[in-house]
Amino acid sequence: MSAPIQPGRRERILCYDVIRVFSCFCVLTVHFNAAVSGFNGTFVYPNSILPNYFLGGALYLGDIGVSLFFMLSGATLMLTYRSARPFYKKRFLGIYPLFWLAFLFASAYDFLELKGMSSASPWLLLPSIAGLDGYLCTLGIIGFDFYKVGEWFLGCILLLYLIFPVLHWGIRKHPVMTVILGLAVYALGVGRFHPITFFLRIPEMLFGMLVSHYHMEKRPGVLLGICGGVFLAAWFLRSWLQPLTFTISACALIFAVLVWLSRFLKGENRLLAQAAELTYPIFLVHHWLVGKLVSGFYLPELGFRNVLGLFLIYLLLTVILSKLLMLCGDRVTGMLSSWRKERFGSLKAEK
């Protein structure tokens, strides 16, 4: 294997932008499908714009998007991580200002639309402020009283960020032992805990970290061969594997295929980079938005023409709202940064 990357390296890798946009599209599509199909644990009406399941039902479209995001997080963070303090600061600034803005906007809109808010204990707002409400709601720990945006993925990735410095140290210093321990934790928990439990997603993050650690994005053929072999083994053993295990193997192969395909894109792709930068605000607004868009439609007789029209409107409005959210977030963080410099600059001058 080639030498590990140098910590703190900051370079834009085209294939990671491709994976990010593809993952986002998977999540966008499956949530649209759920909304127009009256999803209640199953897709009630045949209104999906694209298939929700592949490989004979063994692979779910939503799981593809989520799993690839976990893998991508490991890969990109492995490139940029330097030390814990700046890492946590950057994660905080990259996540919470936009999340809080989206949460406030959605809460205010729903308050006006519903003519009030939940009468549940105000203490239940704390998980929402922390970005953990979607995660805790899905696990059944709290109710959906104040949940608006963020979904379970946000809380899950936040918990993984907390332990990322430990994972990073392990991959840098003892990669084999770290992988063994990560797989052991996974093996002890899979099938016993809910699939969104954060430590069950460690193997996906470790996979992405290993890809970056050993420059595998620059050796797409080797990566494709390894992931292809793992997937074939999982396919033959799928009757004995947990669904999450098979999903991870399939998504590792999809990750490798996208890395390999990205080599046909030459030079800097500014449009792709801009789309990749929008994926987090898109993640925040799309699910809330599609619920508003389908309200009032008679789903049993929606028809493909109407589904297609609604899907295009949904994509357009999601991009517009996401761009506005990002601009607002930049303005707010800029104002806070200016205030901080003026405030603490004046204090230093007085001293």
Side-chain angles (χ1 to χ4, degrees):
M1 291 185 176
S2 56
I5 63 169
Q6 295 301 313
R9 187 180 76 186
R10 294 177 180 271
E11 64 179 55
R12 190 160 205 103
I13 298 179
L14 183 62
C15 64
Y16 291 166
D17 284 343
V18 171
I19 295 169
R20 189 178 300 277
V21 173
F22 178 80
S23 304
C24 183
F25 183 76
C26 290
V27 174
L28 274 170
T29 302
V30 81
H31 285 155
F32 175 83
N33 288 347
V36 297
S37 300
F39 184 82
N40 61 1
T42 186
F43 293 86
V44 179
Y45 308 114
N47 294 331
S48 295
I49 194 74
L50 290 173
N52 295 295
Y53 295 95
F54 303 90
L55 302 178
L59 189 60
Y60 178 52
L61 180 61
D63 290 340
I64 295 174
V66 167
S67 187
L68 288 176
F69 266 129
F70 282 123
M71 294 174 181
L72 185 65
S73 294
T76 54
L77 292 177
M78 195 69 190
L79 289 173
T80 59
Y81 181 86
R82 297 192 306 276
S83 60
R85 185 174 180 179
F87 168 77
Y88 288 132
K89 179 181 178 181
K90 186 174 182 180
R91 292 304 98 201
F92 180 89
L93 293 176
I95 291 173
Y96 280 111
L98 282 184
F99 171 75
W100 287 332
L101 283 173
F103 179 80
L104 286 173
F105 172 81
S107 298
Y109 186 98
D110 287 348
F111 176 81
L112 295 174
E113 182 184 44
L114 302 174
K115 311 305 179 188
M117 66 176 67
S118 172
S119 59
S121 170
W123 289 105
L124 289 175
L125 278 168
L126 293 180
S128 295
I129 295 172
L132 295 170
D133 54 354
Y135 181 71
L136 297 177
C137 289
T138 306
L139 288 174
I141 296 175
I142 63 174
F144 287 84
D145 300 280
F146 296 108
Y147 164 75
K148 298 296 177 183
V149 296
E151 304 177 40
W152 69 265
F153 178 85
L154 180 60
C156 189
I157 200 70
L158 284 170
L159 294 174
L160 286 171
Y161 286 160
L162 287 177
I163 65 172
F164 180 81
V166 176
L167 298 177
H168 181 270
W169 176 86
I171 291 295
R172 293 283 300 171
K173 300 297 184 180
H174 308 284
V176 175
M177 183 58 65
T178 301
V179 170
I180 291 174
L181 289 175
L183 292 178
V185 170
Y186 173 83
L188 291 173
V190 69
R192 297 177 178 84
F193 294 92
H194 196 291
I196 74 169
T197 306
F198 78 95
F199 59 78
L200 294 182
R201 316 311 296 223
I202 289 176
E204 292 158 311
M205 182 162 278
L206 288 177
F207 169 81
M209 294 172 70
L210 290 169
V211 169
S212 288
H213 185 63
Y214 291 112
H215 298 286
M216 297 305 291
E217 76 281 357
K218 297 180 179 179
R219 305 166 67 190
V222 176
L223 180 63
L224 188 59
I226 294 172
C227 294
V230 171
F231 172 74
L232 285 176
W235 176 257
F236 287 116
L237 297 173
R238 64 188 182 281
S239 299
W240 294 276
L241 295 178
Q242 291 288 335
L244 180 57
T245 305
F246 180 78
T247 294
I248 293 173
S249 69
C251 290
L253 177 59
I254 295 172
F255 188 103
V257 169
L258 292 174
V259 170
W260 182 79
L261 289 175
S262 298
R263 67 194 182 101
F264 297 105
L265 298 175
K266 303 296 183 181
E268 182 181 354
N269 193 313
R270 183 168 298 181
L271 182 61
L272 184 64
Q274 291 176 347
E277 290 175 355
L278 267 181
T279 52
Y280 178 55
I282 284 174
F283 161 74
L284 290 176
V285 306
H286 80 279
H287 207 174
W288 176 84
L289 173 64
V290 73
K292 304 300 179 185
L293 291 179
V294 301
S295 177
F297 281 91
Y298 184 58
L299 299 181
E301 298 180 6
L302 194 55
F304 180 77
R305 181 181 299 182
N306 292 326
V307 170
L308 178 60
L310 187 58
F311 184 64
L312 295 176
I313 293 171
Y314 160 66
L315 293 180
L316 178 62
L317 290 180
T318 296
V319 170
I320 292 173
L321 282 180
S322 300
K323 187 65 176 179
L324 290 174
L325 178 61
M326 191 166 67
L327 291 174
C328 288
D330 290 343
R331 179 64 62 88
V332 170
T333 53
M335 291 172 60
L336 290 175
S337 178
S338 297
W339 174 83
R340 180 178 177 275
K341 288 179 181 179
E342 292 176 3
R343 173 67 177 172
F344 289 95
S346 62
L347 289 176
K348 288 181 180 179
E350 291 174 4
K351 290 181 180 179

